[in-house]
Amino acid sequence: MTIAGALRAFELETRPIHPESRVALDKRWAELPEHTKTDNQLLGRCAIGCEGTHGVFPKCDLTCSPCYHAADANKVRIDGNHTVAGVTEQMEYLRRIRGPRAHAQLIGGEVSLLPAADHAAALLAMRANGREPMSMTHGDFDYQYLLDVVLDEHGKPRFDKVSFAAHFDSLMRGRRGAVRPYSEAALNPFRDKFARMFIDLKRDHGVNSYLAHNMTVTPSNVGEVSAVTRDVLEMPYDMMSFQPAAFIGDDRRWKEDFDDVTVDAVWERIEEGAGQKLPWQATQFGDPRCNRTTVGLRAGDVFAPLLDPDEPRDLAARDRFLDHFGGMIFGDVPVRILTVKIVRALAAHPGDIPPLLGLLGRVLRRAGGARGILRAARAGRLGFKTFVVHSFMDAVDVAPAWDLIQRGVVGDDAKTIETQERLGACMYAMSHPGDDRLVPACVQHSVLDPIENIGLRKLLPIVGTAESIVSRPSGLTGVRQTRPRSAG
């Protein structure tokens, strides 16, 4: 490479916002429904949204109620070559149309059913396409499996950092040691054990991690959300995500009146568990009927939100950040490159420095000031925490709304219009390179998964008993029957 070429490459690498990111962000903003183009909206201003895989390993070895997988998912065998090829194709497509960086979930059935080498290969394929991967799991695997994923054949780390999201709730059946958990509290030893594996990974091999805790919420366990929040806050998880159940997937496992659980009801119980209000209105991902999020610094028992929606100076700092830093890639960027990026951004907008420093000072004061922060750090109770509620939509609503969208038709009733609006603002997309399109996750699970899995049964049939699902009890606790739902 010539000197001029090297300088051009360095200039592009250190540009605050990559031009491909700018194009993708502008396109995302233009596509959003008008009602979501608010001052607090992050999609299209600093984020493209999350991404996920599909059809690459649908099988699972637990029996949960509810289950979002299609009825045929467990009739497809695990095949590492298929997984890696599918992940690679989907990620290459996402890289082409959504820019150089995004968060992506390695999701399907149970990721730990993949041979460790194939799991690692899938993560490497995601990273090769600028994705920051998160492996979605029920967490019922051993430390050796984690090591086999993270370390190569010479015992050297393949990754500097890994991200896992573990799903724990009492609606899951078949976990080793907790086949039929009688309460959410009964799962706490398993939650803690899973998270501690990553503490050991850091100690033993220097590999960092980001951990999310996921929980499905139904009338059976909504009353335990507060206790789960309180307990998991004392474990080394970075994110706590709660999903009010929806009528998606295998309808044989719809055993409750899921409509009884609302986003507001779940959030109130999270706040109760956290011991304080958790303001979320300063930022929004997509449609507020779908997502609610807050991020903050937790120092001891105090959670200091990064943004207070009632503080005008916080909102002014937010707006400056989104206007001038939105779209900047911070994750997995070498320190020297990131430093130059930030210096270039601040040099172009020096007026941002006082408001951003003021915001930092307010966050530190909310966290208890220097003394409180130092005390929390000494006790090992200092770190950033994220609280999330994702609310999926019922298949009976998604299917007709999506059909109308495909035909360019706007619904003529309130429910269909609401569903179309939420799909248009979806922050979680799946890629379909063969059809040259992205689809919202609710569409993938409600409309496309059942069709895909019929084809996968033929492509990857289970032969003999070696590939059959690990024996798990299928009995469910007694719950009240689901009310019949109309299609309107």
Side-chain angles (χ1 to χ4, degrees), residues 105-397:
Q105 296 179 355
L106 181 58
I107 189 171
E110 170 48 40
V111 73
S112 66
L113 294 182
L114 285 171
D118 296 317
H119 186 164
L123 296 178
L124 290 170
M126 297 173 84
R127 289 185 176 276
N129 287 283
R131 282 30 230 167
E132 297 183 42
M134 173 176 278
S135 299
M136 311 299 285
T137 177
H138 54 40
D140 190 13
F141 60 81
D142 298 322
Y143 186 50
Q144 186 59 52
Y145 178 82
L146 177 61
L147 293 180
D148 291 343
V149 171
V150 175
L151 307 180
D152 64 19
E153 63 272 19
H154 304 294
K156 302 296 183 182
R158 293 184 171 104
F159 314 100
D160 296 326
K161 181 180 180 181
V162 292
S163 296
F164 277 74
H167 201 118
F168 292 93
D169 61 57
S170 57
L171 308 170
M172 306 166 78
R173 301 291 185 270
R175 186 183 301 277
R176 293 175 300 169
V179 174
R180 297 184 184 183
Y182 55 86
S183 68
E184 293 299 331
L187 291 171
N188 282 344
F190 302 90
R191 294 178 168 113
D192 188 65
K193 179 182 177 182
F194 177 82
R196 294 294 165 187
M197 289 196 299
F198 294 86
I199 301 297
D200 294 344
L201 182 65
K202 172 66 173 178
R203 179 200 64 207
D204 297 342
H205 300 283
V207 177
N208 295 311
S209 61
Y210 184 93
L211 297 184
H213 177 282
N214 290 348
M215 175 180 171
T216 299
V217 185
T218 76
S220 289
N221 64 355
V222 65
E224 299 178 83
V225 167
S226 299
V228 170
T229 302
R230 188 164 48 248
D231 294 338
V232 175
L233 272 173
E234 301 306 320
M235 302 177 193
Y237 288 92
D238 302 285
M239 174 188 290
M240 298 182 64
S241 177
F242 298 85
Q243 297 89 44
F247 294 91
I248 298 176
D250 190 345
D251 59 9
R252 296 172 301 177
R253 300 197 173 279
W254 296 349
K255 301 296 182 180
E256 298 184 82
D257 299 322
F258 301 154
D259 290 343
D260 291 349
V261 179
T262 65
V263 174
D264 287 334
V266 175
W267 197 262
E268 288 172 4
R269 285 167 172 80
I270 297 171
E271 290 180 324
E272 184 179 283
Q276 65 180 82
K277 288 292 183 181
L278 300 173
W280 55 272
Q281 295 88 347
T283 57
Q284 181 62 46
F285 280 106
D287 195 298
R289 292 166 290 193
C290 297
N291 308 296
R292 186 172 296 185
T293 306
T294 191
V295 182
L297 179 65
R298 188 168 188 257
D301 293 324
V302 177
F303 177 81
L306 294 187
L307 293 170
D308 181 349
D310 295 324
E311 172 52 73
R313 292 174 297 176
D314 282 14
L315 301 185
R318 173 203 66 190
D319 294 342
R320 281 182 173 271
F321 180 87
L322 293 177
D323 288 342
H324 303 146
F325 291 83
M328 182 182 293
I329 298 169
F330 293 93
D332 290 338
V333 177
V335 174
R336 62 183 180 82
I337 298 298
L338 181 58
T339 300
V340 178
K341 281 175 172 281
I342 294 173
V343 169
R344 288 184 64 177
L346 291 176
H349 304 283
D352 291 350
I353 297 175
L356 293 176
L357 288 177
L359 173 62
L360 175 61
R362 288 189 295 277
V363 172
L364 295 179
R365 286 193 292 275
R366 290 196 283 260
R371 289 184 179 179
I373 291 173
L374 182 59
R375 186 164 53 248
R378 287 173 175 169
R381 301 182 68 208
L382 180 68
F384 287 97
K385 298 286 185 179
T386 301
F387 296 93
V388 179
V389 174
H390 289 306
S391 185
F392 293 98
M393 293 183 284
D394 298 338
V396 71
D397 299 320

